[in-house]
Structure formats: C-alpha cells, structure tokens
Amino acid sequence: MTTPIVEMDGDEMTRILWQMIKDELILPYVDLKTEYYDLGLKHRNETNDQVTVDSAEATLKYGVAVKCATITPNAARVKEYDLKEMWKSPNGTIRAKLDGTVFRAPIIVKGINPCVRNWEKPITLARHAYGDVYKNAEIKVPGAGKAELVFTAEDGTVTKELIHEFKGPGIIQGIHNTIASITSFAYACFNYALETKQDLWFATKDTISKKYDHTFKDIFQDIYDNEYKDKFEKAGITYFYTLIDDAVARVMKEKGGFIWACKNYDGDVMSDMVSSAFGSLSMMTSVLVSPKGVFEYEAAHGTIQKHYYRYLEGEEPKSNPVATIFAWSGALKKRGELDGIKELTEFGERLEKAVIGTIESGVMTADLSRICSLSDVKTVNTKDFFKEIKSRL
Ligand code: NAP
Ligand code: MG
C-alpha cells in the first residue's frame, strides 16, 4: 500500500470482531497501512470527541476510511461509561464533515432468500441524510386560530402562506431543506450510479407537494440533463424518476440491481424494510459517499450490545462478522483502485469471494443458519467461521 486507509475503531462486540478480522484475514496477507483513530466511547470521552473530528478530517485528506460500529450515547451510556457529556453520534459528526449520502446494500448469498421472490440482485438504498422531518419545528395547537408559514428575508421582506384556519385544537409542523444539501445528494447519487454501473431511481410526492418535493425532482432532473445524461448513456444505465407510491409498487416486481434514492424519511423507513426483506441486518453493507470524492465504509448494524455482554461473561464470540469484513474489503478495493494497486483490489475481491463461498458451502453463524434454506447447514462460532474463510482464501 502507498496511501493509508483511515481506520476508525469502535465499540463492544464489533470492536472484538474488528481485531479478529485484522489478525486473521488481513494482516497475514496485506502490507497494511492505516492511520488509526480510536472512536471507542472511552477514548472519545477522553478526547472530548476531538478524535471523531480528527478522523473525519483525515478521511478528507486520504479519501478512504473504514469504520467500526460505535455507541451513540444516551442517558444509560453516560452512566455506564461515566461520560463528561452525552457526545453526539459519531456517524452524524462524520457525515456533517464529509457532506455525504449513505448507500446501503445487502450482500446476496445462495440459501439466504429474500422474502420477495423475484429479488435476485441487491437493491441499494441511497438515503438523503439531512433535513425534512428530522429537523422539524412542531406546535400543538390548543384551539381555534390561524396558522401561517412566515419567511423573513435578511432585508426584512416578509412572505406568508396560510396553513390552516383552525376551528378547534390540532397540530402543525414546519420542515425545511436546503438547495445545497439536495444538490450534493443528487451528485452523490449520480456518481455512485456511474461508479457501480446501476440504474438510478428517485421518487418523491411532487404531485401533492408542488414546491417542496418538486424542488427535489427539479434539482435531480437539471443536474442529470446538464451533466450526466451522456455519461449514463455511455455506461448503459438509466435515470428514472417516478412518484414514491409508484416506486414502492414497482420495486416489488423488479429483479433488483438498481439504486433507489430516497428523501430522508422515505430512506429511513425503506432501508429497514429492504434490509429485513433481504434476510439479515448482519449482511447489510453501508458506504458514505461524499461529493468531495471521499468514501467511508462500514457495516449497517450497531455494536451488537447483547452479544458483547455475553462475551464479557465468558461466552465465545458468535456474532456474524460479514458486514464488517465487507467494510474492510470495500475500503481495500477502493484504496487499490485509487492508487492503481491491482493486487490490493484483487485481494479485496478474493476476500469477499471466500466469505460468500463459505456461507454457500453451508458454514455460517447462527443468525444466518436460522433463516437458511440450504439442506446441509453447519452453525459455527465466529472463530471457526474465520477458519473456514481463511482456508478458502
Ligand atoms: P445492533 O448492534 O444493530 O444489534 C441488534 C440485534 O441485531 C442484535 O442484538 C442481534 O440480534 C442482531 N445483530 C446485529 N448485528 C449482528 C451481527 N453482526 N451478527 C449477529 N447478530 C446481529 O443494535 P443494538 O445492539 O441495539 O445497538 C448497540 C449500539 O449500537 C447502540 O449503542 C447504538 O448506538 C449503536 N449503533 C451504531 C451504529 C453505527 O455505528 N453505525 C448503527 C446502529 C446502532 P440477537 O440479539 O437476536 O442475536
Ligand atoms: Mg430506521
């Protein structure tokens, strides 16, 4: 390797898996260069969360990062780790710095069948991660009165729009987004579609929301027409816009193999539905793609807290490391591609093949054997799963 990968270590069970992956599957084969950042909650607390900011800045510098799952502190965690503050979600901090869009895709293996029978290829969910209902203002209306949207420009000009004349109690909500954020969401989606050679779908409710959702539609269409149409045609892929209700109906009838870009709320809901329908959270990969040309790879699941507590009581690790292995292989492949190191990219591909081959031969962790349709299945713990992968590798 010539350029380091930014390595963001994490918490609990995934921190244990992280070390096992490095020791068993990477260090024996790769002359690994990483710049290490410990995002484990203890160290985040010691550094007043500066380490998270530093790791995001390093990602901007080097271009590729691999991240372990991390605890997002809540009241219980503040007590458990004796935290100075309820530190913010590291993913949120990193996403804000990189201005990225999150792409999630399931790892498809024979024997783990999607609930939707005709889904043969992965469906990648691209979720806009800024604004809308996640940054809302709400009022409980106590009784009769007039609700209005009011915008006061910097020069003092006021624009008003009637929401509703209330005759009795009710509720109101104000949401927003920015042209800058929607634009970078669109670029991330178009670039990712080109990069992975997959069709891109985008859907909103523009027939009902003629200004809000329609702006999303228009921004995507403008950027596509002006900058991507030719590139998409050359790559043999298409961009397709439809209404969100039409999209959900069509998705059920397709074979998969495309990217589905969603507004924030749609993406939240649909990514959980799509990943569950494909089989298991432990088989979902996630990559944050920034319009600045920067990539951060991770697993979609969390730190698997329950398994960790059992591990602390002396139980052998039994968790499924696949999504975290794919975060590493994804980062290695990307590093190889950017630096022109063919062997590194090929190693990432071989590692993924060895993992898929192991599962398809019937050897897997308990979360998968529970839902597997193969006739001859051997359930193994994490250590034995690594042994199988290694022998194939
Ligand atoms: P989780 O880690 O996603 O796990 C929830 C359950 O899903 C587990 O108890 C387990 O079910 C199953 N599971 C998930 N990944 C698995 C794997 N690799 N192998 C086998 N089973 C797996 O969620 P959580 O335990 O509720 O959350 C723990 C922490 O993760 C929280 O503090 C949260 O803040 C954090 N989190 C971080 C990220 C991130 O960094 N990207 C994302 C989400 C959550 P069974 O118990 O039934 O076996
Ligand atoms: Mg959700």
Side-chain angles (χ1 to χ4, degrees):
M1 289 180 65
T2 48
T3 321
I5 286 174
V6 178
E7 176 184 352
M8 305 168 173
D9 207 345
D11 287 301
E12 300 194 310
M13 204 60 223
T14 40
R15 189 179 178 98
I16 309 295
L17 297 178
W18 194 259
Q19 199 57 49
M20 291 171 93
I21 292 168
K22 280 174 67 181
D23 290 345
E24 299 295 324
L25 299 180
I26 298 175
L27 290 171
Y29 312 105
V30 180
D31 174 23
L32 184 71
K33 276 203 176 71
T34 71
E35 196 164 290
Y36 180 86
Y37 292 86
D38 182 2
L39 266 56
L41 186 50
K42 186 168 171 283
H43 193 241
R44 271 183 277 151
N45 190 52
E46 284 161 5
T47 63
N48 296 329
D49 210 21
Q50 185 59 37
V51 65
T52 307
V53 175
D54 292 346
S55 73
E57 255 146 32
T59 306
L60 286 171
K61 177 169 162 201
Y62 295 117
V64 181
V66 58
K67 181 179 170 293
C68 180
T70 46
I71 292 167
T72 298
N74 55 18
R77 299 297 199 168
V78 171
K79 225 165 134 198
E80 182 182 356
Y81 284 83
D82 191 19
L83 300 180
K84 297 183 222 170
E85 255 184 58
M86 199 187 287
W87 306 110
K88 282 194 218 142
S89 149
N91 288 49
T93 304
I94 294 165
R95 210 177 290 147
K97 275 249 169 240
L98 307 187
D99 185 19
T101 298
V102 177
F103 295 85
R104 293 203 158 162
I107 300 155
I108 305 281
V109 292
K110 282 193 210 90
I112 311 295
N113 303 320
C115 305
V116 181
R117 265 169 296 147
N118 43 287
W119 286 359
E120 290 166 11
K121 294 185 210 156
I123 294 169
T124 302
L125 236 294
R127 174 182 171 187
H128 184 211
Y130 177 81
D132 301 351
V133 76
Y134 300 86
K135 271 211 175 286
N136 66 357
E138 302 184 321
I139 298 175
K140 275 193 172 179
V141 173
K146 185 160 77 170
E148 287 175 305
L149 273 181
V150 181
F151 172 71
T152 313
E154 262 178 351
D155 69 5
T157 321
V158 172
T159 315
K160 273 191 198 172
E161 175 84 24
L162 177 71
I163 298 171
H164 190 63
E165 296 260 14
F166 282 92
K167 306 272 183 289
I171 41 180
I172 47 180
Q173 178 182 60
I175 60 172
H176 81 279
N177 223 298
T178 67
I179 300 302
S181 177
I182 302 167
T183 302
S184 74
F185 172 47
Y187 277 116
C189 291
F190 288 125
N191 287 339
Y192 199 71
L194 274 178
E195 171 136 346
T196 59
K197 297 228 165 20
Q198 298 184 84
D199 290 345
L200 175 67
W201 293 25
F202 182 44
T204 70
K205 195 73 182 173
D206 65 285
T207 47
I208 299 297
S209 171
K210 291 192 163 62
K211 285 182 185 146
Y212 199 100
D213 278 20
H214 215 293
T215 300
F216 278 82
K217 178 186 177 183
D218 292 343
I219 288 175
F220 268 70
Q221 198 62 50
D222 279 354
I223 294 175
Y224 178 71
D225 290 343
N226 292 324
E227 295 177 54
Y228 286 91
K229 204 162 186 286
D230 294 345
K231 291 181 197 155
F232 268 51
E233 274 161 17
K234 246 186 228 139
I237 57 174
T238 55
Y239 167 62
F240 164 66
Y241 177 86
T242 187
L243 278 173
I244 184 75
D245 33 353
D246 181 46
V248 296
R250 282 172 188 252
V251 161
M252 291 298 155
K253 295 184 185 141
E254 288 286 332
K255 287 198 167 74
F258 56 88
I259 300 163
W260 183 9
C262 287
K263 283 176 59 199
N264 211 348
Y265 175 79
D266 299 338
D268 183 353
V269 179
M270 290 305 160
S271 69
D272 283 348
M273 190 201 70
V274 168
S275 65
S276 308
F278 268 108
S280 169
L281 200 57
S282 57
M283 298 291 281
M284 257 332 242
T285 62
S286 182
V287 56
L288 178 72
V289 180
S290 145
K292 296 163 186 158
V294 159
F295 301 81
E296 184 234 298
Y297 294 84
E298 62 177 321
H301 60 75
T303 60
I304 342 174
Q305 184 179 15
K306 280 192 219 132
H307 294 207
Y308 181 61
Y309 290 163
R310 292 206 294 266
Y311 166 80
L312 290 180
E313 281 165 13
E315 192 185 279
E316 271 286 318
K318 289 181 179 154
S319 318
N320 182 346
V322 170
T324 309
I325 296 173
F326 271 65
W328 273 99
S329 61
L332 292 171
K333 286 196 300 184
K334 178 54 76 181
R335 195 69 273 169
E337 187 192 312
L338 294 177
D339 295 351
I341 305 171
K342 211 170 102 222
E343 294 86 343
L344 193 58
T345 306
E346 282 172 2
F347 174 76
E349 284 162 3
R350 284 206 193 99
L351 179 55
E352 292 177 358
K353 250 174 104 174
V355 170
I356 290 172
T358 299
I359 299 170
E360 292 187 340
S361 78
V363 180
M364 61 196 79
T365 46
D367 57 304
L368 292 185
S369 59
R370 264 201 306 262
I371 54 169
C372 184
S373 66
L374 298 175
S375 53
D376 196 9
V377 171
K378 190 173 149 202
T379 307
V380 291
N381 63 26
T382 315
K383 213 160 104 200
D384 290 339
F385 188 57
F386 279 122
K387 264 194 212 136
E388 280 290 324
I389 297 170
K390 252 177 114 98
S391 74
R392 282 179 178 268
L393 191 59

